[in-house]
């Protein structure tokens, strides 16, 4: 039996071992288990003297420290068990004073950790421990509040053991209940701070739930009677107050709260949440700002998903959701959609108003640009369709005698209607739900148009794929829907040639899933055409598979011929991939079941024919490579072979069951391997040049093939050849029959790919080849054959030899050598071989360069060693295998930075950056995105890598450590760009500090070194150092820090500039809770105005001071204007605390006509001016402003792009301000306003850069913000129409940020123009498509008599955007010939690299439909007779042009109408014809004549319709023609 002293020594030794950071994970886990066993043995002992060591305060605190300090670096299970042991120990402790002492210690300790922004690695375990103790009632909420109270009262003792919690069952008499509530709020806000990070958000939600559970029961004992009396009406839950306050400071964290905090809250506080929701549902959305609305909707969504709130009225919830589907906030839209989709009964049908709202808003969701939101919308729409279809099916099964659940009209009770009335309501709703489902199918078919954006294409395809999959088990799923299957199939085949990879893949996947058997002739002897057969529309007994049977083999042959023609004429990657997918569909998808071997049959036969085609192309390339580039592209056939190989493997054909099948596959793989060798031989000469991009093709080039075309041809051929080999290797399993076969082929594959990686210099080529080599190495390592297993190590030895032999073949990234190393290590991601490779590369990289040898032969294998190490540490699949090599690699990288050879220094820098990223768990320190980890300033990296502090100091003070006699110092002294070399070292150190803070070791030295760079001579280093310091906790109060930086201790202007940068970064990071601090700081900063501006001769530091002022004002604005907080005297615009004349001097400088500061300070000055003007809008102030001319004329010529952007951005504010030239009448003759409109039009041109377009919409936003309170007549003046159309154009911009800004402006002006009685108390805030439609409706209603709107509608319908604006009736439009336009757009595009359309968001065909509606709604007084006559002639000529082209060739998939420009022009012509027919009918009905012209045009339209039937004209056009000729069913 151990003595007491021995037991204590053993226990202390185990604690020391478990706490050590140097022990391995397995050793640490064993130590934790031993520690738990020791504690348990002591606690269960029958002897009091043996139990005593387990219950000492020191033991408990030491064990708890182990949990806090090691949780982030060790496996969680042993530490979780250790936490349970601590809980058990505290419960079993019979000393109440000891318990109280430890609970006070834990509460104070955890409060200090979580209340410090730099809590680091201890934050997460602290939150976990507190949540565990609260859930087990070991610690109560009053203990936490006591710790918070002691902290704020500065009464926390020096040693936590000397204090016992002062809170028992209620507050002391000296502390009010309001203070305890405030302390609870403070605690919750501190906890919520850590909900900003995904790794701590889940535990944050569980902790808040546990805290509020104990707080709810305890608070009822100390709430004052007056408070209880007041709370009988309604008392906001304390967690809601904390959540609202937190989200005001960190609004971007609401998604994390919705996922992790709100679900926990609604489960624990059902009473408080229920009362809050009852109040919300009763009040509606009155007086509810955006943030509160988001919180309420997300809480309501969490309540419904929890299933605990059955009493909430589903009708009310659905109506709320329907009103918010078009909101600008994605979170509000998503929550609103979720409210509609959710239902306690899956058979409940949706209300009519909700269905109408869905039909108007779902098209908006299909154009969502954000991929994450688009995926959420996709999931919501799937749930919606499931609910609608379930409701329809359930209603079909019920009988009138036993009706299903009734959903009656709003405010109608079931007793109001008799039974037959209820049945009629049910039948009506069932019909409406079924019509909604049918409408959505038709909508999806129309979304596949050639002109639709990528977002619309991919969303529609995903929905069609999902619906086909969900209904695949149904025999005839389309029996109730009039589905235009011909339109869907034609669109799918067109989209196989789409420029986007995922669109092509999904379109081919849908066709593959739908084809059960290969299409064959249904009636081989039929005389009528296939077009007539397919125009019978989709019958009720058919499905998609049956519909595809109506397409005969000539149809598929024509499609294949068009695909081959496209691929050969252009050689584009998308055309080649589309050809490969079509080839796979026709020959591989279902051709295997066909007896006709011409299109299907044996896979060896199909692939053999394809290989023959490939060999012909290779022969052409060998004889004349320039000719082959334009006529015989290789990559399309190689892609087809890859798809067929993958398909055959998925069906099991590649795994033979007998020797004959094995031999057939051996022969085929031999053939494909030989083909790959031939491809390599054909392109090797081009791709292995040291600079392939600069390869000269010679002067004897009669085929006009450029270097870019030739290079693209070669690397695409090699890329697809490599991916074909990858497809052959993937899934190849060794079998007893084919052991020798696999070894020989693996060796051949590996040798070929190894040679390619060793020789290639084109990065786009070897990046693909490396994937094939990695797969080959992995398969070799997994083989049972010892010869095959030895291949990767044999290739590794060859790679080392290449590194040494090719030391003179230098490229910046060592070409394919790093890929060879990482591919080999893929087969051995851990173990002895992996470690030996790292050590070999260390030896190569750390070898000193011989200067004499370098001068002679340029041999630097160190470069290859550095680059190989960099790729190894960058590769995430190696995981923890590289952790043990980090420290020595850091040393080698730093030594590389000290080399006298630029190539080694550069590679050392890249390795160091890769190591920094690896140290921070893959987080890129240079990224501006919010970190996903709470350990933003964790010092854990310094605990794991002990040499990092020394390396930091070495990098920061590197120039000081060099002697003047050293070669490196002498070489640097001779270089003119020494600052660049210095930045390479300093930046790396600053990135580590920015991410992990300053280590405790060398803390003062490192801080001084960083501060010296803040005041250093190099601008870039100053800025980087200032940014790094701003992320560190401020030791002083912020106000003291500002005074320290701005006091007269700076010696140079560089030092002053660095201090300004540091303060700017510091204030950019503070939240709104510190706004009052910013206001106080502004007073001191303003006092420095004379020293910083008036007495300062440096324009750079003057500009940086003004930028600092702007940053402080922005940080201190908060909810109230900073001018109000500073008690401004409005008459004199003078702060109450500022010295006499100081404020006026500041304002005079701000508005001076001729500033001397550099151009980059202009934006800051303009922002400050506009802030002043907006904040004092409509007030009588004395500002030094004479006119807008004096403001704008001082900033130079508009020829300076940056200057013009800054001026344009703020012009709107100045023009709308009462002190300038525009009054409330909005005079259309105002010269400044007209010039501004002209400048906006130029800035919004699609060829302008995005910053210019953003400046234009910012200018409009400033203008409408200033004039939103003007009377209605001023907002409907003619000049405003031009501004409204400019806003409309911004809503069609290609840049998402510009569109969002335009939607904000449109919502603002629509809100100001809408009556308060029609807005339900909620400000109008619309998403982009909704804002576009609402704004156009507003213009259409307000300006229906406007000639300008008539002219704009006509121009936009016909696409005449280049025509200048028309303001008078005698101005005539220029009418381009539609025939010439059709000839131009119908030309075959043979360009290898197509110039991308400037605006990929806008759909010109859809826009034409929109503006046709506006044109038809115009009043007759706005219509120009001359324009209408020209319009009729243009439409007639356009229809004639379509007839001429349609009669010359068959259309169908991949036909002439599949070109987006041709499709758009055709839609414009048909819409123009429809509009002319309507105008003619209206004129004839009114007795104004014009009917004869309409008769001629109608005859041409009918002729085109009949011709389209015979020539398989595009289904979308045929539907438009059928509507015009009045035929309801084209096949009837």
């Amino acid at each position: 039996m151990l003595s007491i002293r021995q037991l204590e020594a053993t226990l202390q030794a185990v604690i020391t071992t478990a706490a050590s950071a140097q022990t391995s994970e397995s050793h640490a886990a064993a130590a934790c288990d031993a520690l738990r066993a020791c504690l348990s043995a002591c606690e269960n002992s029958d002897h009091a003297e043996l139990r005593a060591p387990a219950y000492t305060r020191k033991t408990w605190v030491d064990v708890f420290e182990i949990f806090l300090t090691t949780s982030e670096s060790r496996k969680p299970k042993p530490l979780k068990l250790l936490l349970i042991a601590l809980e058990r120990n505290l419960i079993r402790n019979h000393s109440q004073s000891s318990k109280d002492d430890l609970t006070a210690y834990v509460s104070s300790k955890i409060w200090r950790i979580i209340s410090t922004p730099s809590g680091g690695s201890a934050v997460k375990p602290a939150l976990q421990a507190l949540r565990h103790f609260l859930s087990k009632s070991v610690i109560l909420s009053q203990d936490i509040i006591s710790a918070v109270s002691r902290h704020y009262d500065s009464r926390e003792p020096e040693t936590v053991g000397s204090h016992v919690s002062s809170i028992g069952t209620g507050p002391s008499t000296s502390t009010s209940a309001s203070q305890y509530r405030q302390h609870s709020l403070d605690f919750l806000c501190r906890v919520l701070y850590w909900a900003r990070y995904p790794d701590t958000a889940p535990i944050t939600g569980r902790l808040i739930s546990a805290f509020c559970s104990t707080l709810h029961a305890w608070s009822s004992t100390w709430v004052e009677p007056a408070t209880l009396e007041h709370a009988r009406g309604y008392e906001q839950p304390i967690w809601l107050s904390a959540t609202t306050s937190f989200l005001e400071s960190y609004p971007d964290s609401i998604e994390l709260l919705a996922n992790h905090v709100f679900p926990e809250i609604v489960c624990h506080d059902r009473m408080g949440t229920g009362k809050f929701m009852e109040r919300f549902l009763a009040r509606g959305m009155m007086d509810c700002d955006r943030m509160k609305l988001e919180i309420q909707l997300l809480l309501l969504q969490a309540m419904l998903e929890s299933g605990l709130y059955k009493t909430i009225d589903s009708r009310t919830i659905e109506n709320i959701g329907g009103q918010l589907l078009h909101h600008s906030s994605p979170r509000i839209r998503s929550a609103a959609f979720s409210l509609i989709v959710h239902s306690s009964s899956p058979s409940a049908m949706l209300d009519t108003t909700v269905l109408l709202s869905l039909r108007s808003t779902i098209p908006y969701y299909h154009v969502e640009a954000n991929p994450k939101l688009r995926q959420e919308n996709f999931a919501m729409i799937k749930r919606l369709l499931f609910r609608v279809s379930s409701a329809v099916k359930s209603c079909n099964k019920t009988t009138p005698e036993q009706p299903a659940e009734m959903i009656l009209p709003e405010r109608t009770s079931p007793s109001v209607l008799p039974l037959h009335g209820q049945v009629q309501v049910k039948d009506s709703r069932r019909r409406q739900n079924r019509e909604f489902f049918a409408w959505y199918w038709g909508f999806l078919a129309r979304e596949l148009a050639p002109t639709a954006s990528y977002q619309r294409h991919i969303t529609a395809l995903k929905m069609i794929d999902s619906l086909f999959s969900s209904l695949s088990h149904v025999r005839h799923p389309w029996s109730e829907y009039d589905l235009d299957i011909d339109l869907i199939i034609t669109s799918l085949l067109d989209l196989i040639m789409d420029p986007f990879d995922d669109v092509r893949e999904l379109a081919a996947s849908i066709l593959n899933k739908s084809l059960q058997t290969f299409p064959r002739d249904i009636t081989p002897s039929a005389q009528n055409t296939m077009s007539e057969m397919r125009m019978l529309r989709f019958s009720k007994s058919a499905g998609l598979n049956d519909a595809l049977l109506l397409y005969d083999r000539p149809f598929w042959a024509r499609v294949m011929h068009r695909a081959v023609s496209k691929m050969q004429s252009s050689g584009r990657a998308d055309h080649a991939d589309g050809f490969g997918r079509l080839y796979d569909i026709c020959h591989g998808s279902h051709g295997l079941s066909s007896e006709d071997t011409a299109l299907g049959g044996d896979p060896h036969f199909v692939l053999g024919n394809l290989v023959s085609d490939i060999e012909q192309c290779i022969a052409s390339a060998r004889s004349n490579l320039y000719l082959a580039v334009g006529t015989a592209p290789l990559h399309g056939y190689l892609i087809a072979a890859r798809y067929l190989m993958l398909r055959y493997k998925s069906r099991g054909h590649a795994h033979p069951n007998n020797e004959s099948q094995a031999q057939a596959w051996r022969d085929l793989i031999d053939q494909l391997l030989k083909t790959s060798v031939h491809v390599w031989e054909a392109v090797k000469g081009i791709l292995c040049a040291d600079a392939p991009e600069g390869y000269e093709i010679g002067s004897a080039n009669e085929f006009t093939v450029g270097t870019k075309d030739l290079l693209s041809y070669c690397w695409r051929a090699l890329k697809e050849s490599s991916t074909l080999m990858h497809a052959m290797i993937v899934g190849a399993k060794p079998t007893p029959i084919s052991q020798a076969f696999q070894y020989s082929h693996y060796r051949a594959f590996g040798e070929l790919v190894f040679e390619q990686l060793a020789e290639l210099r084109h990065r786009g080529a070897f990046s693909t080849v490396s994937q094939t080599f990695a797969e080959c190495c992995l398969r070799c390592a997994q083989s049972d054959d010892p010869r095959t297993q030895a291949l990767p190590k044999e290739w590794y030895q060859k790679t080392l030899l290449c590194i040494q032999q090719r030391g003179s073949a230098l490229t910046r990234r060592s070409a394919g050598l790093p890929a060879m190393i990482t591919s080999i290590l893929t087969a051995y991601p851990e173990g002895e071989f992996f470690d030996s490779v790292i050590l070999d590369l260390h030896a190569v990289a750390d070898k000193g360069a011989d200067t004499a040898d370098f001068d002679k032969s340029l041999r630097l294998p160190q470069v290859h060693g550095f680059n190989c190490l960099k790729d190894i540490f960058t590769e995430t699949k190696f995981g923890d295998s590289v952790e043990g090599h980090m420290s020595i690699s850091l040393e080698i990288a730093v030594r590389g930075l000290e080399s006298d050879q630029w190539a080694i220094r550069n590679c050392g820098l890249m390795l160091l950056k890769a190591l920094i990223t690896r140290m921070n768990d893959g987080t890129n320190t240079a990224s501006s995105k919010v970190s996903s980890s709470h350990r933003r300033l964790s010092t854990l990296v310094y605990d794991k890598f002990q040499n990092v502090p020394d390396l930091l100091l070495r990098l920061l003070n590197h120039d000081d450590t060099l002697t003047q006699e050293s070669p490196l110092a002498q070489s640097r002294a001779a270089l003119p760009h020494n600052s660049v070399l210095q930045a390479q070292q300093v930046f790396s150190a600053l990135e580590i500090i920015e991410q992990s803070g300053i280590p405790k070791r060398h803390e003062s030295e490192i801080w001084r070194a960083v501060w010296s760079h803040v005041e250093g001579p190099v601008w870039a280093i100053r800025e980087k150092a200032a940014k790094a310091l701003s992320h560190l906790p401020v030791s002083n109060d912020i106000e003291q820090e500002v005074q320290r930086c701005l006091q007269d201790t700076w010696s140079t202007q560089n030092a002053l500039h660095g201090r300004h940068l540091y303060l700017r970064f510091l204030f950019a990071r503070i939240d709104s809770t510190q706004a009052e601090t910013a206001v106080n700081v502004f007073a001191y900063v303003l006092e420095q105005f004379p020293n910083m501006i008036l007495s300062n001769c440096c324009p750079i530091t003057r500009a940086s001071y003004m930028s600092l002022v702007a940053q402080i004002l922005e940080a201190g604005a908060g909810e109230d204007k900073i001018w109000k907080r500073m008690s401004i005297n409005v008459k004199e615009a003078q702060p109450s605390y500022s010295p006499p004349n100081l404020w006026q001097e500041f304002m005079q400088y701000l508005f001076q006509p001729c500033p001397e500061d550099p151009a980059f300070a202009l934006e800051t000055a303009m922002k400050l001016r506009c802030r002043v003007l907006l904040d004092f809008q409509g007030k009588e102030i004395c500002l030094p402003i004479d006119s807008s001319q004096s403001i704008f004329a001082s900033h130079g010529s508009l020829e300076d792009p940056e200057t013009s952007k800054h001026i344009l951005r703020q012009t709107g504010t100045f023009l709308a301000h009462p002190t300038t030239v525009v009054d409330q009448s909005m005079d259309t003759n105002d010269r400044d306003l007209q010039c501004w409109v002209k400048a906006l039009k130029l800035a919004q041109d699609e060829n302008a850069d995005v910053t210019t377009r953003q400046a234009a919409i910012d200018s409009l936003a400033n203008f409408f913000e200033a004039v939103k309170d003007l009377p209605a007549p001023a907002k409907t003046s003619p000049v405003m129409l031009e501004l409204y159309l400019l806003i409309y154009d911004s809503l069609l911009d290609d840049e998402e940020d510009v569109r969002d800004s335009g939607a904000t402006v449109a919502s603002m002006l629509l809100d100001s123009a809408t009556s308060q009685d029609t807005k339900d108390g909620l400000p109008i805030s619309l998403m982009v498509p909704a804002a576009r439609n609402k704004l156009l409706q507003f213009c259409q209603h307000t300006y229906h008599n406007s000639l300008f709107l008539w002219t704009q509608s006509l121009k936009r319908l016909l696409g005449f955007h280049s025509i200048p604006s028309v303001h008078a009736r005698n101005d005539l439009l220029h009418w381009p010939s539609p025939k010439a336009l059709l000839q131009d757009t119908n030309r075959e595009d043979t360009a290898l690299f197509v110039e991308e359309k400037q605006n990929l968001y806008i759909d010109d065909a859809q826009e034409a439909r929109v503006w046709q509606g506006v044109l038809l709604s115009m009043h007759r007084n706005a219509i120009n007779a001359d324009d209408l006559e020209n319009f009729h002639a243009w439409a007639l000529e356009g229809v004639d042009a379509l007839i001429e082209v349609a009669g010359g060739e068959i259309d169908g998939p991949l036909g002439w109408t599949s070109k987006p420009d041709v499709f758009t022009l055709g839609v414009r012509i048909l819409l123009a014809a429809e509009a002319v027919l309507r105008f003619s009918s209206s004129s004839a009905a009114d007795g104004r004549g014009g009917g004869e012209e309409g008769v001629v045009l109608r005859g041409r339209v009918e002729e085109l319709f009949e011709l389209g039937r015979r020539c398989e004209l595009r289904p979308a056009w045929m539907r438009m023609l059928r509507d015009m000729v009045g035929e309801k069913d084209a096949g009837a």
Side-chain angles (χ1 to χ4, degrees), residues 203-219:
I203 186 60
T204 297
R206 294 191 291 270
L207 173 58
I208 292 175
S209 174
F211 176 79
C212 291
S213 296
T214 60
L215 181 67
H216 181 72
W218 175 65
S219 61

Side-chain angles (χ1 to χ4, degrees), residues 82 181 564 674 688 1056 1082 1136:
L82 196 62
R181 180 177 176 87
V564 172
K674 188 181 299 183
C688 292
L1056 180 60
F1082 182 76
S1136 57

Side-chain angles (χ1 to χ4, degrees), residues 60-68 86 105-106 110 129 133:
W60 201 97
V61 170
D62 289 346
V63 175
F64 186 62
E65 288 291 333
I66 292 174
F67 177 81
L68 291 178
L86 287 173
Y105 160 76
V106 172
I110 293 178
F133 290 149

Side-chain angles (χ1 to χ4, degrees), residues 1350-1351 1354 1371-1373 1375 1424-1431:
W1350 154 266
T1351 306
L1354 200 58
D1371 291 331
L1372 298 179
L1373 286 172
W1375 300 86
N1424 185 293
D1426 294 333
D1427 291 345
L1428 188 59
E1429 182 179 352
N1430 292 332
F1431 186 40

